[in-house]
Amino acid sequence: YKKIHKVFRRYGVRGWSHLNKKTGIRNGYITISVPIFFDNEQKAIFSYGIHCGGLCGGGQVSIYEKVNGKWTEKQILLTWRS
């Protein structure tokens, strides 16, 4: 979340073009939820999706944990593909 926020703070509306170049997505968009923190802000749950057309896309809902100051994925709760 912080990295994406930084992209838009730096590039403004052009942040989408920057993200498209980084992710390789040309005809679609990315959705990312705001993280929900718990356990004294040491864990977070959030979702993301890549949408690229009628039957093209995927995403997941995951729990991340802060270990030694770095966020790591601990559990995938749901995935979807189209």
Side-chain angles (χ1 to χ4, degrees), residues 68-80:
N68 297 323
K70 187 171 183 172
W71 289 100
T72 57
E73 186 176 67
K74 289 297 179 181
Q75 183 178 5
I76 298 171
L77 302 175
L78 171 83
T79 58
W80 64 273

Side-chain angles (χ1 to χ4, degrees), residues 16 29-33 47-51 80:
W16 290 113
Y29 60 95
I30 301 168
T31 57
I32 303 170
S33 72
S47 66
Y48 76 87
I50 299 171
H51 311 272
W80 64 273

Side-chain angles (χ1 to χ4, degrees), residues 1 4 9 13-14 20 23 33 41 45 60 65 79-80:
Y1 172 77
I4 292 170
R9 198 171 51 224
V13 178
R14 293 185 329 264
N20 287 345
T23 62
S33 72
E41 296 190 0
I45 183 172
Q60 66 186 43
E65 184 175 7
T79 58
W80 64 273

